[in-house]
Amino acid sequence: MKARPWIESRVVRASDVTPNGTASVLALATFFQEAAGRHAAALGVSMQDLLADGKAWVLARLRMEVDRLPAWEEEITIETWPSGLDRLYATREFVFRDQDDRELARGTSAWLVIDTERRRPLRPPSVLYDIEVPDRPAPLGQEEVDFAALSTVDREQTFSVRYHDLDLNRHVNNVRYLEWALETLSPEILEERRCVGIALQFEAETTLGDSVRATAEEQQEGDSLRVRHRLSHATSDRTLARAVTRWTSISEDESR
């Protein structure tokens, strides 16, 4: 079976935007996750299909670069396609475009299928080996992201896992980890800068009632800011996820 890229449109809702009037990177990550799920369903490997067989999709890695965040009520398109299998990982690419077909953001991701009882990775479903992926270049080049341990802690906050943080397979939704990482940053960064890049690596799950400690290390790089994030279990200190985000000044960005 030949897989064609999946394309869908979205209108940026009021609940998707920040006080700056543009969609957050959290909204873009959610848009991508939903489009990926619909495409997986069209290919016969939806979350519902897997859950019926005691399995589930989990996001293992995500990397995204952002040129421009869309504004409130702006219509955008999301294009996504599977790009192959790398051992136990199923890789998937995506591109966001505005109504003039200009790229807003682009990214790549890697997904695992897990046994929902044993919580261990499984071999990808056989149907994925029969899919002929689109012959097109990846929107992002290969890049090794440095997820090394933080050398210092500039910001710290603790969050409790609530019922509405959970997804279909009863673990914390992937985007929630990113939300906790960003929420740890100062209001000045969130107000005066725009996120232009994110990289996430998920390492462990959390359950209802757990406490999650989010820490961040800020590194100035010229006019840009690079932030390294770690999310850990507040009691055991087990690492749950690591992230790197990059930020640019909103005023400089708008003056281009």
Side-chain angles (χ1 to χ4, degrees):
M1 175 175 61
K2 186 171 184 177
R4 296 183 177 182
W6 179 269
I7 302 175
E8 65 181 48
S9 297
R10 294 291 298 260
V11 174
V12 177
R13 306 164 302 175
S15 58
D16 298 322
V17 303
T18 69
N20 289 318
T22 58
S24 67
V25 289
L26 303 174
L28 294 188
T30 299
F31 293 166
F32 161 62
Q33 185 169 272
E34 293 175 351
R38 281 188 277 271
H39 195 197
L43 294 172
V45 283
S46 71
M47 179 68 86
Q48 290 88 341
D49 293 330
L50 294 186
L51 287 173
D53 197 27
K55 304 173 184 177
W57 283 112
V58 295
L59 183 61
R61 297 190 300 270
L62 174 70
R63 188 159 60 92
M64 178 167 59
E65 292 183 354
V66 182
D67 295 336
R68 180 176 73 83
L69 291 166
W72 177 34
E73 296 189 330
E74 182 175 352
E75 185 175 356
I76 62 174
T77 60
I78 308 110
E79 182 177 14
T80 181
W81 63 96
S83 52
L85 297 171
D86 179 12
R87 294 171 296 173
L88 294 180
Y89 298 96
T91 55
R92 174 173 284 276
E93 320 302 319
F94 60 97
V95 175
F96 289 87
R97 292 185 176 88
D98 64 17
Q99 290 304 290
D100 293 321
D101 203 36
R102 293 174 299 199
E103 283 193 14
L104 297 170
R106 66 206 63 81
T108 186
S109 63
W111 302 72
L112 288 169
V113 174
I114 65 166
D115 182 311
T116 54
E117 287 191 10
R118 303 175 67 190
R119 315 307 286 184
R120 293 183 180 179
L122 298 171
R123 183 180 175 87
S126 58
V127 64
L128 293 181
Y129 292 89
D130 299 328
I131 293 175
E132 182 182 350
V133 301
D135 182 16
R136 57 187 301 174
L140 285 183
Q142 294 291 330
E143 178 184 331
E144 289 294 328
V145 180
D146 181 11
F147 289 113
L150 277 61
S151 58
T152 187
V153 174
D154 296 315
R155 305 283 299 183
E156 179 179 340
Q157 196 164 337
T158 301
F159 303 90
S160 294
V161 177
R162 305 162 303 178
Y163 181 82
H164 290 97
D165 295 324
L166 307 180
D167 60 16
L168 278 173
N169 56 28
R170 293 186 175 274
H171 77 184
V172 172
N173 183 277
N174 303 309
V175 178
R176 193 68 73 223
Y177 287 104
L178 178 58
E179 179 183 336
W180 289 334
L182 300 188
E183 193 67 30
T184 305
L185 301 179
S186 69
E188 289 76 20
I189 291 176
L190 299 175
E191 281 286 340
E192 299 171 9
R193 292 183 177 269
R194 178 176 67 83
C195 186
V196 295
I198 61 173
L200 286 136
Q201 177 174 283
F202 299 95
E203 299 186 14
E205 298 178 302
T206 48
T207 58
L208 183 64
D210 285 346
S211 291
V212 175
R213 179 174 178 250
T215 52
E217 176 186 4
E218 301 171 6
Q219 301 171 324
Q220 196 73 37
E221 297 180 341
D223 293 329
S224 299
L225 181 69
R226 182 173 180 266
V227 184
R228 294 153 59 83
H229 308 262
R230 177 177 181 251
L231 296 162
S232 59
H233 193 286
T235 303
S236 68
D237 199 41
R238 182 183 185 186
T239 298
L240 306 171
R242 299 183 187 274
V244 177
T245 58
R246 292 183 292 107
W247 303 78
T248 189
S249 168
I250 289 179
S251 59
E252 290 177 4
D253 194 52
E254 291 174 345
S255 65
R256 291 178 182 177

